[in-house]
Amino acid sequence: MIPFDFEYYLPDTLKEASEIFVTLQKEGRSPLYYGGGTEIISMARVMNVTPGAVIDIKKIPECLEFGINDNHITIGAAVTLAKITASGIFPLLGLAAGRIADHTVQEKITLGGNLAGTIIYHESLLPLLISDSSVCLQSAEGLKEAPVPEVFSGGGLRPGELIVKISLEKKFAQCPYFHIKKSKIEKIGYPLVTVCVLLYDNVMRTAVSGLCHFPLRLADVPLDPDTDEAVLAENLVRNISAPIRNDASGSADYRTFILIKTVESIIRELKQIKKDKINA
């Protein structure tokens, strides 16, 4: 039960949604955009957020877009994690989404909600950071499109910005990929470290969550068959400039150790995949 009253809005268009937000903000109602609502509801129950109004985006057509057109994949902000996983439209994103909470909750959590929420892990962001994805945003100034890293690595959304949809080229969904999540509670716990990797043009693109207080993309690494995987992995970690988390779940040294060993195993497997293709 939520112990306070709030207003509920269900706009039909992006323009209507942003106009409602601006009006409510001017009235001091602290509005929030609402997709699946899992985080808003759980936080409102304990009074960690107290919006005077929520604006549900689930009737806005652009937020529900989902599919492939002209070799581009589009995923609307109101599409659920369960739908993304079941579709296979972007396998790496499906794996990342499939390890966030349990399946029942994944039926409610939306892509936009996971990207914009306050929980620091944002695991669905990892595949988007390494696939040249772009995000469409709606605000009082209208629509704009920007690279995903530019928006989510630069302080996040501005007040009043609504994630509309994510776009990427289909070719990135067809690359060799890996997703490994290490958590204290196997399957659905918050990650000590989650690693997502795409191999594109013989370059390993890597993004991690749980290591720092925000997801980040590591330096790209050419997959050199003659370089030892331990050296490659340690070089990746050495170039991380952000502070590594050190808490009751895991020390900074432990998280670093997990990351290095995880990346080593991925590099080893990628080398074997490449070798098998050459010998095929």
Side-chain angles (χ1 to χ4, degrees):
M1 177 178 174
I2 296 175
F4 59 88
D5 294 329
F6 59 91
E7 295 179 356
Y8 173 83
Y9 295 85
L10 187 63
D12 295 303
T13 67
L14 290 170
K15 185 173 184 293
E16 183 185 359
S18 61
E19 288 175 348
I20 292 171
F21 189 97
V22 169
T23 299
L24 293 170
Q25 188 76 357
K26 287 179 179 178
E27 295 173 354
R29 303 301 301 276
S30 302
L32 293 174
Y33 285 117
Y34 182 99
T38 54
E39 183 176 324
I40 292 174
I41 291 170
S42 61
M43 294 182 70
R45 284 172 175 163
V46 294
M47 301 291 285
N48 284 341
V49 296
T50 54
V54 297
I55 304 167
D56 196 330
I57 67 171
K58 288 195 290 291
K59 281 186 67 177
I60 300 173
E62 293 90 337
C63 296
L64 295 169
E65 288 184 30
F66 188 59
I68 301 174
N69 186 31
D70 294 332
N71 290 316
H72 275 76
I73 295 171
T74 300
I75 306 174
V79 176
T80 66
L81 301 187
K83 185 173 182 178
I84 294 169
T85 300
S87 73
I89 194 170
F90 184 4
L92 179 57
L93 179 58
L95 279 175
R99 291 292 304 276
I100 298 170
D102 60 32
H103 183 73
T104 301
V105 180
Q106 291 165 20
E107 293 279 1
K108 296 291 185 182
I109 301 175
T110 60
L111 178 61
N114 187 251
L115 294 175
T118 60
I119 296 173
I120 67 171
Y121 303 102
H122 305 287
E123 290 176 81
S124 64
L125 177 59
L126 301 183
L128 307 179
L129 287 173
I130 55 179
S131 58
D132 293 353
S133 299
S134 62
V135 56
C136 179
L137 300 169
Q138 171 74 24
S139 69
E141 289 76 38
L143 282 172
K144 76 170 186 179
E145 190 167 1
V148 162
E150 180 182 302
V151 174
F152 295 101
S153 300
L157 301 175
R158 296 181 301 165
E161 282 188 328
L162 166 65
I163 300 172
V164 179
K165 55 189 174 183
I166 297 290
S167 300
L168 64 140
E169 291 185 68
K170 180 182 175 182
K171 64 183 180 182
F172 289 107
Q174 300 169 329
C175 294
Y177 61 89
F178 283 88
H179 171 275
I180 297 178
K181 178 174 181 174
K182 301 290 187 179
S183 57
K184 291 186 72 173
I185 302 174
E186 188 58 30
K187 179 63 179 171
I188 62 171
Y190 289 138
L192 288 164
V193 173
T194 297
V195 181
C196 283
V197 170
L198 277 178
L199 183 66
Y200 176 69
D201 199 21
N202 202 45
V203 172
M204 194 173 79
R205 299 175 171 208
T206 307
V208 299
S209 175
L211 185 74
C212 303
H213 289 280
F214 48 86
L216 71 160
R217 178 173 174 172
L218 306 185
D220 291 351
V221 174
L223 191 62
D224 184 351
D226 297 324
T227 302
D228 183 84
E229 49 263 22
V231 174
L232 288 175
E234 288 176 8
N235 285 341
L236 272 178
V237 174
R238 190 179 298 119
N239 289 324
I240 296 173
S241 58
I244 295 175
R245 295 175 62 216
N246 188 22
D247 54 30
S249 296
S251 67
D253 287 343
Y254 183 52
R255 291 177 195 272
T256 301
F257 173 79
I258 291 175
L259 175 60
I260 290 173
K261 293 303 177 183
T262 301
V263 172
E264 280 183 27
S265 68
I266 291 173
I267 294 172
R268 196 176 299 116
E269 291 195 50
L270 284 171
K271 285 182 177 181
Q272 187 60 49
I273 291 172
K274 185 176 180 181
K275 183 178 179 181
D276 291 344
K277 284 185 177 181
I278 292 172
N279 294 334

